[in-house]
Amino acid sequence: MSTIWSNTLLSEDHIMVAEGARDFSNKEIKPIAAEIDKQHRYPKEIIKSMAEMGLMGIAVPEEFGGAGMDCLAYTAALEEISVACASCSVIMSVNNSLVCDPIQKFGTDEQKKKYLPSLADGEKLGCFALSEPDSGSDAAAMTTKAVKKGNKWILNGVKNWITNGKEADVAIIFALTNPELKHKGISAFIVDSSATGYTAAKPEDKLGIRGSSTTQILLDNCEIPEENLLGELNGGFKVAMVTLDGGRIGVATQALGIARASMETSIAYSLERKAFGKPIANLGAIQDHLAHMSTKIDAARLLIREAALLKDQGKNYSRQSAQAKWFASEIAMEIATKGIQVLGGFGYTSEYPQERHFRDAKITEIYEGTSEIQKIVIARSLVKEFSK
Ligand code: CAA
């Protein structure tokens, strides 16, 4: 089994983090992953343990209560969590990439001191609210507004598809502060879910990642202190785009983990199941599926590590994270489908985990930018690079 894991580009410290996460995943998460899915249950106790292991604020500097590691460490650990449970991995990924990261990158010292330690140690959970009922791929088309009144911001609008929406204590919310300027008139805010006028609506009933909540957030004259503006006034679109560059590495890694789970399930089953007098792992048709799985998984992981490495080096990685996200999510879906084929009828029932991997894989082609959006980001980056 060890050949399925890859230590390429990882240091001793990264490997230690990955092994710790793998061990935890195998012992604590895998045995209950099906139950979490079936009951649509937020895995509170798992998230608490993950926080104790430093997994909820991996790249948050130690001075702000995090593990002080880098994006490579994040992907190494997240892959292992994702193999066991895609719900746990999206909860972890949103908290790290979409909440801690922008606060760390764009926040004031006071904001970092106030929010990062409790987000990293699991006392609090974060969510990221960009999309709206009528604005998803076209993020700049939002209508939520923020108006300054005295020393407060008053937010009004509806945010949609918010992962962790039900449990989140802290939300990064984007709103128009100058509607005439379109994307140049959007600002980012840190909003406590206890703020007046903030409501998390009923969770969506979803195809997959059922242990994580996805809700609307209703902002009805939601009042927040002026100092909760995140980054520059009217600079919110950039905060969103830069944050999503990092978030896409997280979703790519989640997809990679789901793909690996499908392959591991397929290998185990094909060694056990006999047809024509031998385990089906010896049949060419099954080996063809396994070869596709293994090669595409390794290719996805290399794309992810390249993007993570560039992020850690402080270089531009927008194209690489979009490439990693597009490729990893598409192969996760393809491999999950092949996994069902390998298991035949058993793959279609909840007796085996493969149908869950299949359901979980689909969302990775949609959230944090659909595959279609990733291709726009990739092509625009290429044109920009070549026009220099
Ligand atoms: N980094 C920094 N700046 C960036 C950037 C990046 N990666 N991408 C764009 N920008 C800047 C541009 O340089 C431009 O700046 P100027 O105005 O100064 O020139 C500005 O942003 C506007 O750029 P575009 O003209 O390219 O913007 P656009 O309106 O055409 O949109 C887009 C571009 C890539 C399609 C963007 O809208 C997008 O990413 N859409 C998808 C949104 C998305 O991923 N949503 C998911 C939300 S999170 C979620 O899924 C829920 C959850 O809980 C997990």
Side-chain angles (χ1 to χ4, degrees):
M1 193 69 101
S2 64
T3 49
I4 290 171
W5 307 324
S6 158
N7 292 336
T8 308
L9 292 179
L10 300 185
S11 68
E12 286 297 309
D13 284 351
H14 295 135
I15 294 168
M16 228 165 69
V17 171
E19 287 179 351
R22 185 180 310 140
D23 199 42
F24 177 74
S25 267
N26 283 334
K27 289 196 185 122
E28 309 294 333
I29 311 183
K30 242 181 213 166
I32 59 166
E35 171 246 305
I36 290 171
D37 171 71
K38 205 168 241 169
Q39 298 178 358
H40 297 227
R41 179 175 79 77
Y42 176 76
K44 196 173 173 189
E45 74 289 7
I46 298 289
I47 303 305
K48 183 170 177 283
S49 301
M50 278 166 46
E52 282 161 8
M53 292 168 70
L55 300 182
M56 294 305 278
I58 295 188
V60 171
E62 283 172 293
E63 62 170 313
F64 295 115
M69 296 197 74
D70 55 15
C71 190
L72 268 179
Y74 169 56
T75 62
L78 186 62
E79 177 181 336
E80 300 301 333
I81 301 296
S82 308
V83 174
C85 171
S87 296
C88 296
S89 80
V90 71
I91 296 165
M92 169 178 162
S93 154
V94 165
N95 199 68
N96 275 276
S97 298
L98 298 188
V99 184
C100 291
D101 250 24
I103 294 178
Q104 195 179 310
K105 191 163 176 70
F106 297 99
T108 61
D109 246 23
E110 286 67 35
Q111 288 172 337
K112 291 181 200 176
K113 277 186 212 142
K114 182 169 176 196
Y115 290 102
L116 289 177
S118 53
L119 285 165
D121 75 9
E123 186 196 328
K124 290 193 172 159
L125 186 73
C127 69
F128 178 87
L130 176 69
S131 301
E132 298 184 358
D134 294 318
S135 127
S137 291
D138 184 5
M142 69 177 64
T143 57
T144 295
K145 291 187 182 58
V147 176
K148 189 88 179 283
K149 268 203 185 147
N151 59 359
K152 290 191 186 326
W153 285 101
I154 312 294
L155 275 61
N156 276 291
V158 178
K159 293 294 176 179
N160 228 44
W161 314 123
I162 311 305
T163 306
N164 294 346
K166 184 165 165 238
E167 299 80 15
D169 308 281
V170 178
I172 307 295
I173 295 190
F174 297 85
L176 290 162
T177 34
N178 191 336
E180 316 230 304
L181 298 180
K182 307 224 162 101
H183 78 267
K184 289 182 192 291
I186 292 170
S187 299
F189 299 91
I190 308 176
V191 181
D192 291 84
S193 63
S194 57
T196 311
Y198 178 110
T199 310
K202 189 171 159 278
E204 305 288 346
D205 185 9
K206 303 182 303 242
L207 177 70
I209 54 162
R210 293 174 159 188
S212 70
S213 66
T214 304
T215 71
Q216 282 193 334
I217 289 179
L218 315 177
L219 302 161
D220 181 12
N221 286 322
C222 174
E223 276 186 28
I224 58 165
E226 64 178 343
E227 63 269 21
N228 280 25
L229 174 74
L230 177 64
E232 287 175 21
L233 181 65
N234 297 326
F237 196 70
K238 188 173 169 214
V239 174
M241 292 299 112
V242 169
T243 302
L244 283 167
D245 282 344
R248 287 163 186 164
I249 295 178
V251 177
T253 307
Q254 181 192 33
L256 169 65
I258 298 169
R260 221 183 83 195
S262 295
M263 178 168 75
E264 291 180 10
T265 304
S266 301
I267 297 172
Y269 180 83
S270 59
L271 285 169
E272 179 191 289
R273 174 76 177 183
K274 291 202 176 82
F276 309 105
K278 56 188 174 189
I280 62 169
N282 296 310
L283 299 176
I286 300 297
Q287 290 185 346
D288 181 78
H289 287 317
L290 299 182
H292 270 272
M293 292 179 181
S294 169
T295 307
K296 289 176 182 179
I297 284 171
D298 282 2
R301 188 184 290 105
L302 286 172
L303 285 175
I304 291 167
R305 296 233 167 119
E306 157 98 345
L309 197 61
L310 288 172
K311 181 171 192 263
D312 288 336
Q313 290 170 345
K315 295 185 178 150
N316 188 306
Y317 62 97
S318 199
R319 175 169 63 86
Q320 287 80 2
S321 70
Q323 288 178 172
K325 202 260 181 192
W326 173 38
F327 186 77
S329 59
E330 301 269 326
I331 67 117
M333 200 59 229
E334 183 191 337
I335 292 172
T337 309
K338 281 187 185 297
I340 295 203
Q341 201 64 19
V342 170
L343 271 70
F346 290 110
Y348 202 66
T349 71
S350 58
E351 195 175 325
Y352 282 83
Q354 193 49 36
E355 60 85 34
R356 171 166 53 88
H357 303 324
F358 178 83
R359 288 187 285 104
D360 287 341
K362 186 60 203 172
I363 190 61
T364 65
E365 293 179 320
I366 299 171
Y367 58 18
E368 298 192 38
T370 59
S371 291
E372 291 75 5
I373 289 294
Q374 304 316 317
K375 285 181 263 183
I376 290 176
V377 173
I378 295 162
R380 282 188 186 173
S381 302
L382 275 181
V383 169
K384 206 165 152 189
E385 283 165 37
F386 270 78
S387 311
K388 275 180 191 164

